[in-house]
Structures are given as structure tokens and as C-alpha cells.
Amino acid sequence: MAQRKRLNLGARAWRAAMAGLAFVVSLGLASGAWAAQRVALVVGVSKYDKVPSLNNPGKDARLVQATLQKLGFTVKVLTDPSRAALIEGLGEFEESAKGSEAAVLYYAGHGAMVDGVNYLLPRDAIITNKSSLTGTAVESARLGQSMMGAKAVRLIILDACRNNPTATRSLGGNSRGLTRETGPTSVAVVTLMAAGPGQVAQDGAAGAANSPFAIALTQGLTRPGITVGELPSYVQAEVERMTEGEQTPDLQGIWPNVHWSFDPNGPPKRVAAAGADPVKIKWEKDQVFWTSIKDSDDPADFKAYMDAQDRGEISGAFRKLASNRIRALEKLPAGSFQVASRSAQPGQDLVVSARDAFGRGDYAAASRDWSAAASAGNGAAMYNLGVMSLSGKGATKDITAAARWFRASAGAGHSGGMVNWGLCLLNGFGTAKDEASGFRFIQDAANRGSANAMGLLAEAFYRGRGVAADPRQGASWLQRAVDAGDGPSIAQLADAYDRGDGVARDGHRAFSLYQRAATAGDTEAMVHLGYAYEDGEAVPKDEIQAATWYQRAAEAGNSEGMSSLAVMFESGAGLPQDEQRAAEYYRAAADLGDARGYLGLGSLTARGAGVRANPAEAVRLFQQAANKGSALALRNLGLMYETGQGVRADRAKAVDFYRKALAAGDTGARDELQRLGVR
């Protein structure tokens, strides 16, 4: 897999303990038009004339219908339609979608993929052979065409390919699942599939109320204030949890506005102060809440996190990681370190009340109860008081005080305290630096079963911090951390396979791990997936899927995802060229200090493409990019000084910038120097 920007195995050591606040990029249409027109077409096909019937599509369609109606959608329902009725219904839906704010189309039933084309099977479909199937089914591309008139949201939900009736037949060499959409509407229309390419969606057991996907979808749609950008991650996490990893929903397409909310009332009013951005507040609370529990040994902490998302108080970016940790902790045998430490801690009732208060954003109450529990000797309470001192949430920001709390927590046997006290010693934060002692504390926590400590122990072996460098040991501990449910270690193990560091280089294994990390919310892994789909080395080239992952990373605050998507919009590679949207994403990335954000916005500003031309501002942006290490920005500064754009023409300065650009690795600067007759 081609390297664009490698994950830094040392990057999380302290960042893990002081996770910052996520930046939320807000682009596109205004997000406050809650009362605008919403239309939906819901199709459920359970009974077939010549194809095996299904248990739940009809029931699922009714559930989705009721859910969308509660959200203010005008819903048309087609139950067990013939091909003619389905085509007629799509035509009517196309007319109703024109000029609407949001259009949603849900299909539940059988689907099949033939020669790279997805087909949806109406009641009278015939699957005797390829010709009969393609002649009696409906191409899924027709769905996208029917909703192009909607403005803010164009969403297709394919809950299809359930127990695929063509699985035992030879139809174009394909036997399982659907493929991603590739038609002309596949960028402008977002498609959420119940299962990934090649997977078969579970229909639900006989007698079950609904399929796992329909349950997760409708639960997600009704979360207070949930946005279109947040919905796919929620649904993916829940379906994987309910199917024990056998089914992973898939997303493709670009949202015109990732912050459009399904909730007719908008984001919950209780989370927003006057003039505040409620979306950003949800992300901020999400980061702070996750930081407070990520090293916990108590499943109740992670359940509380998921409950907070269900109440609409946080975005739930780490929901899948929370689910994984619950599963890993609940499998621990009685008498293990974690189980014993939970049951033996005094003041546990105060810890629970403090955790709930912290989740609500009531930091004063959390501090009061954790302080009382810490006085009783509770290690978890000491740990969380340390997090408060570290983050400044509920306490004065004081790294020395944080270190004291982490040391006390470690002494009380809390694995999170051991980890963070070890990090303090490794880095000299709030105490004297002592790498050997720091390593021993982290090793002790890892040996006792702390998943986070296992990942940090791997990092210590990779970097030679407190122990002799040993990449093979590092890779081994990363694998153990992944098996124990540590989220950050998934992407780090992927990076190890991508580089061949401590393990044999394996691009396909790296891609699989990046995919797993990305669906769990790791934004750098999302960017890696985008690069993989753009490069087409580990997987077939798919620029639309690349853009999909870049946008998901961007909406989660990743500046590299923002600038990567901006490049695609600027160049028109894989997306319709849109220099205005490119400028918006470049600007968002630049606001986070991203070199490519400065460079791209500077280039558009110099040319007046997507933004008003302003050569002087372009020079400033190029200088910012150069300060961040961009060699191309140095060459661009040379061009600006040579031509006198935005600055007074100065040949000597131009030559100096060209030389600096060449020294920094920009070979194009050599041509500029040769053109000027300068060595």
C-alpha cells in the first residue's frame, strides 16, 4: 500500500492520555432548516412468486415507515410490488423528490449482483438464468436517478441480498452479496448498504421482530439530534455488535451537508449555550467522556458512554470501541485482575454517580463524588481526578497534580493509573523523567491484562523507550492489544504490516486492519483507506470510495482527510470538479494547521478559483505552508516573487526560494532555476 503519511507509533503515548477536542468541519448547506420538506419511498418485498420468501422485509419496511413518519417525512410504501409497480413507484418518487430538502429511499428484500451490476428483485422476479433475472429485476442505479432533485440529503438504504437466492446459481460468476454503486449518481447520492460488498445481510431468525440492520437503522435515526454524518458509524457499530462481526454495513457517496439532522427539532437544546455550535459541543463532550473511561476495567463505564450517545449528549465516535471493550471485559474469568479490582474497590457507588455526572457535563458534581471516593481509597476515582487535572475539566489544569493522582491510582492497583503514571515517568510530565521505571509500570499493567498498556508496551519496544528496541516484540504486543480490544493498536498494527516493521510486509493484511480501525472511528485509518482506494494497490481502485472515507475523516476533524478531499474536488479526480467546495475543505484543513490546506487554499486564492483572487493573501498562505515543511510552497513563493504577484518583484528572493525548494526535495524547482540560468 503506498505511503502518503505514515501513522506515528509514538504519537499516541501522551495524546492517549490528553485527547484533544475534535474540530468539526461545517460545510455545505445550512443545517438549521428542520421544517423543510422530507420525502421517502419505502419498499419491502417478503413474498415472491418464484423466489424463496423472506421473514422480515415487510416488517422492516413498516418499522422504517413509522420511524421516518415520526421524523417528519412524507412516506410512500410499496409492499411486495411487481416490477411494473416498483418502476411506477420510483417515477412518482422522483417527482416528489424534486425541490425537497431530503429524499430517502429504503429497500428491503432480495438483491443480486450480476456482472458488476446490482439488481433488486420485485415480487415477480425470475432467476432461472442471467437473462431472466436481468429482465425481470430492477437495476439499483434507477434508485439514484429518482432522487437527484433533492437538495440537502439524497440517501439510498439497501437492506438487500438477504440469504441471496442466487447463491447456488452461476450468474456472471457472482454468488454472494452486492457491489458498490458505480453509476453516474454514485457520488451525489449516498448509499448505505446493510452489508459490505460480497456479504449477505442477515434477515433475522424466524419469529424475530426485525432484521439486525433495520433495528440499528431505526434506532440510529431516532437518536436525538443525530446527523447524516453520524448515522452510518452508529449503524455500523450496532450491526457488527448484533451479528458478532459477521455483517458490516457499507457506505458510499458524498454528503452535501454532513450536519443535516434527521431530528425535526434539531440538536438537543440542553447541550447548547446561547450562540454555541451544538455539533461541536457534542464532539467536545464525546472526546472528554472517552478520555475519562478509555482505560477503565469496568464494562459499566463503556455502557454509560453508549447510553450518553443514545440520549444525544455525545456524538458516539468511539461507540464500536466501547462495544469491543465491553465484550472483551465481560469475557474475563472470575478472579482475574480486572474483575477483582472492580469488586474490591471502596466507594464504587460514588464512582458510578461521578461517572454519570461527568457524562452529563456536570464536572463539579463529578469532581465532588470522585474526591470522596478517592479519599476512601478508590483507584478509579484517583485516576479520573488525574484526568480532570490533565484536561482542565472540573479542575484547574495542572500536570503535576495529574501525575500525583495517577501515581496514587497506580498504587491502588488501577490499570489506567499504572498506564498514565508510567507515561508521566517516560515523558517527564509532572515528575522526573525515568524511562526504565515508566516501562515497568506499563509492563505491569499489560501483564495484568490492560489492553491499552499492551499497545503502549508495543510502542516502547518499537521506540526503545525504557527497554532495548525490538520491533518483533513490538508487533507481538500490538497483536495482543488488538485481541484484547485496544482500538488504537489496530491502526498501529496495520501500519506495521504496511511498512513490514516487526512482521512480514503484507499490504492486504494492512488494508484489512485499517478497515477495521476506520469503522471503529480511527480517523487516520480512514485516511489510509482513502489512499488505498485511490492508489488501487491493495484493493481495486475506487475513487468514490476514497472520497467517502476522506469525508468521514474530515467530518471527524482530521485535517488530512479534509485536504485530501479538497484535492479531489479541485482536480475533478473521481468527483465532479468543484473548486468552491475544494476551497472550503482546504480552509478547514488550514485552520487546523495542515500544510496541504494552506498550500491548496493559496493556489486557489492566487488563481481566483473557487474564491476571490487575492495574490497577497496567497503569498501569506504559501508562507504558512512553507513554515509547515511544504517544498512546493517554497517553489510557489519563488514564482510569486519572480512575477511580482502579491509582493514586489524580487529576482534574488525568487532564486533563494527555488533553491530552498530544491533542497527540500521539490525537483520541479530545478527547472525554474535552469530557466533563469542559475545553478
Side-chain angles (χ1 to χ4, degrees), residues 50 110 120 301 543 546:
K50 298 184 178 181
H110 279 311
L120 307 179
D301 287 336
E543 290 177 315

Side-chain angles (χ1 to χ4, degrees), residues 606 614-620 639-641 643-649:
N614 186 338
E617 174 65 6
V619 169
R620 186 191 70 82
L639 288 168
M640 300 298 275
Y641 274 98
T643 58
Q645 297 182 67
V647 290
R648 180 178 296 178

Side-chain angles (χ1 to χ4, degrees), residues 220-452:
L221 286 168
T222 53
R223 295 285 74 92
I226 194 165
T227 65
V228 290
E230 295 168 349
L231 178 68
S233 295
Y234 176 92
V235 174
Q236 285 179 325
E238 283 301 284
V239 170
E240 283 207 345
R241 180 185 64 81
M242 288 189 283
T243 63
E244 297 185 346
E246 293 184 5
Q247 180 180 333
T248 303
D250 190 74
L251 184 74
Q252 175 128 335
I254 300 297
W255 298 108
N257 173 21
V258 297
H259 299 311
W260 189 92
S261 177
F262 286 100
D263 189 339
N265 299 314
K269 299 298 185 292
R270 63 181 177 275
V271 304
D277 180 350
V279 177
K280 186 174 182 179
I281 289 172
K282 284 175 68 175
W283 276 99
E284 178 178 337
K285 290 183 67 177
D286 192 13
Q287 299 293 314
V288 174
F289 196 167
W290 182 254
T291 301
S292 75
I293 66 166
K294 64 183 179 58
D295 297 318
S296 174
D297 297 323
D298 189 347
D301 287 336
F302 299 100
K303 290 177 180 176
Y305 173 87
M306 296 170 74
D307 289 343
Q309 185 196 12
D310 290 344
R311 293 191 299 269
E313 295 170 355
I314 59 176
S315 60
F318 306 100
R319 187 180 187 90
K320 184 176 178 183
L321 293 181
S323 177
N324 290 345
R325 291 292 291 138
I326 290 170
R327 198 158 48 240
L329 290 168
E330 288 182 341
K331 289 180 180 178
L332 292 171
S336 67
F337 168 66
Q338 288 92 339
V339 174
S341 65
R342 287 199 301 273
S343 60
Q345 287 289 318
Q348 193 61 25
D349 55 337
L350 289 170
V351 170
V352 172
S353 63
R355 179 195 63 212
D356 293 341
F358 195 90
R360 296 192 305 271
D362 187 351
Y363 303 132
S367 177
R368 180 194 65 224
D369 288 351
W370 273 327
S371 295
S375 298
N378 189 288
M382 298 172 190
Y383 168 82
N384 281 297
L385 289 170
V387 171
M388 283 186 140
S389 295
L390 193 64
S391 65
K393 296 292 183 182
T396 302
K397 195 168 185 177
D398 185 340
I399 195 168
T400 302
R404 287 198 299 267
W405 280 120
F406 292 143
R407 182 176 185 177
S409 178
H414 186 268
S415 64
M418 294 177 188
V419 167
N420 278 10
W421 175 235
L423 288 171
C424 289
L425 290 166
L426 277 172
N427 295 282
F429 290 133
T431 189
K433 187 173 183 178
D434 185 344
E435 290 191 351
S437 294
F439 175 84
R440 285 195 295 273
F441 271 99
I442 293 172
Q443 186 175 44
D444 190 17
N447 289 337
R448 296 187 184 203
S450 168
N452 185 39

Side-chain angles (χ1 to χ4, degrees), residues 5-88:
K5 179 180 177 182
R6 292 178 176 174
L7 291 175
N8 180 359
L9 283 172
R12 81 162 176 174
W14 190 246
R15 186 177 63 200
M18 346 175 24
L21 304 181
F23 174 85
V24 180
V25 56
S26 181
L27 299 165
L29 301 171
S31 59
W34 313 115
Q37 185 184 14
R38 303 162 173 224
V39 297
L41 175 64
V42 173
V43 182
V45 191
S46 291
K47 298 177 181 178
Y48 287 87
D49 297 339
K50 298 184 178 181
V51 175
S53 295
L54 292 166
N55 293 321
N56 286 323
K59 292 185 287 185
D60 292 342
R62 290 190 291 274
L63 176 63
V64 172
Q65 173 194 6
T67 301
L68 291 173
Q69 286 175 334
K70 289 178 183 177
L71 296 173
F73 281 81
T74 299
V75 185
K76 172 70 179 291
V77 180
L78 298 177
T79 302
D80 300 332
S82 64
R83 184 175 186 274
L86 179 55
I87 292 174
E88 181 180 0

Side-chain angles (χ1 to χ4, degrees), residues 165-179:
T166 68
T168 59
R169 300 177 183 273
S170 177
L171 296 174
N174 303 306
S175 60
R176 287 176 61 86
L178 301 180
T179 187

